[in-house]
Amino acid sequence: MFQNRAEALALALPAAVFATLVFLLPVAILLSEGFRAGGGWTLSAYADFFSQTLNRTVFLRSFRLGLEVTAVSAVVGYAAAFAIVNLPANGKGRIIGLVTLPLMISPVARTYAWIVILGRTGIVNQAITGLGLSAEPLRLLFTETAVFIGLLQLFLPLMILSLISALENMPRDAIPAARVLGANWFQVFWKVVLPLTREGLVIGGTLVFTGSLTAYITPAVLGGSKVLMLETLMYQQVSVANNFISASVIAFILIVMSFAANILLKRIATARNRR
């Protein structure tokens, strides 16, 4: 397309400069705050952060919920993707449209809808009290369960779409061949489907895990101050405590966890494929 590399670099230079000035430079300045506490380069801010029980609890909760949402998304996503891939062309298009539809709706609206469903006078509590399962409405909002449900609903479509793409690129005769050779359905999935769709799982898992870690609206609305996550804690540190050093530490932790998740998923997928 280009006569030489210099021409291609010249065309890419404006975009690279814009991204550096608008995104990379501000992020670098923010992250450097956590290493410049006390006037010099030090890790004392990170030691102070993890020395507090609340911060450790929030960190472990965010990590655990991210893993739980990713794991459940993978299980549900594979089942949904298999069903969608095996549909006729017309039905497949309609179902994929329904899966994609939530992504076109604002996360704010999607999150606030759960208040109508999980609130004290919401649909779930009305059903529970109406069936006589409980004399009083249950406390469903501002719990880890509510945050988990909200995050799962928010990011599950990304996992399903990633796995649909991977399954459609898988050889059509792979599963029938494995069945003919005597493999049961578990062996077919573990030894055939999973290795052949590892790229889709890595992409979907990265999107879901990092999204669950960095989402703000859903934990803030459904968890409130009772179920703090790293992103809501970072907001409090900036807006309430005016502690930019602690916010910088949290931002760096979120970035490292996001990159680590992607690298770990790739290595697990590669190791599994080699075996």
Side-chain angles (χ1 to χ4, degrees):
M1 181 178 294
F2 302 106
Q3 296 180 357
N4 52 59
R5 181 175 295 182
E7 182 179 351
L9 292 176
L11 291 174
L13 184 61
V17 172
F18 178 81
T20 301
L21 294 178
V22 176
F23 176 71
L24 296 179
L25 185 59
V27 170
I29 294 174
L30 172 65
L31 296 181
S32 66
E33 292 292 331
F35 295 96
R36 292 190 294 138
W41 296 97
T42 177
L43 296 176
S44 60
Y46 291 85
D48 293 341
F49 178 83
F50 284 104
S51 66
Q52 300 181 30
T53 304
L54 174 62
N55 294 340
R56 292 198 303 269
T57 302
V58 172
F59 171 80
L60 293 176
R61 179 189 295 133
S62 301
F63 183 72
R64 176 169 47 81
L65 281 176
L67 288 179
E68 291 174 354
V69 172
T70 304
V72 174
S73 296
V75 174
V76 177
Y78 264 113
F82 263 115
I84 293 172
V85 167
N86 291 317
L87 288 174
N90 293 336
K92 184 189 301 185
R94 295 190 184 97
I95 298 300
I96 291 178
L98 292 176
V99 173
T100 309
L101 181 62
L103 300 176
M104 304 178 187
I105 303 174
S106 169
V108 178
R110 294 163 64 186
T111 300
Y112 273 99
W114 284 107
I115 296 179
V116 179
I117 299 174
L118 301 177
R120 290 184 62 84
T121 59
I123 299 172
V124 175
N125 269 318
Q126 287 182 1
I128 291 174
T129 55
L131 294 173
L133 300 177
S134 177
E136 298 181 353
L138 301 179
R139 180 176 170 269
L140 301 176
L141 285 177
F142 310 119
T143 62
E144 287 190 15
T145 301
V147 176
F148 170 81
I149 293 173
L151 291 174
L152 181 63
Q153 186 267 343
L154 198 64
F155 297 109
L156 179 59
L158 299 177
M159 178 67 80
I160 294 176
L161 293 175
S162 299
L163 293 177
I164 288 175
S165 177
L167 288 171
E168 287 183 338
N169 292 326
M170 188 177 69
R172 293 292 181 183
D173 57 350
I175 294 179
R179 292 289 291 164
V180 168
L181 293 173
N184 57 39
W185 284 111
F186 176 79
Q187 291 173 329
V188 168
F189 175 79
W190 188 250
K191 295 184 177 182
V192 178
V193 176
L194 191 59
L196 292 176
T197 59
R198 67 188 187 280
E199 292 298 330
L201 181 61
V202 168
I203 294 173
T206 302
L207 291 174
V208 174
F209 183 76
T210 57
S212 300
L213 284 180
T214 57
Y216 170 74
I217 292 297
T218 300
V221 173
L222 300 181
S225 59
K226 296 182 180 180
V227 185
L228 284 176
M229 301 279 282
L230 281 175
E231 55 276 5
T232 51
L233 179 62
M234 181 170 61
Y235 175 80
Q236 288 187 359
Q237 293 297 323
V238 174
S239 62
V240 178
N242 199 29
N243 188 348
F244 284 90
I245 293 178
S246 181
S248 173
V249 171
I250 297 173
F252 184 80
I253 291 173
L254 289 173
I255 292 175
V256 170
M257 290 175 69
S258 299
F259 279 104
N262 181 258
I263 295 172
L264 181 61
L265 285 171
K266 285 184 177 180
R267 289 194 173 184
I268 291 175
T270 303
R272 172 61 191 162
N273 187 55
R274 288 176 179 174
R275 290 198 299 269

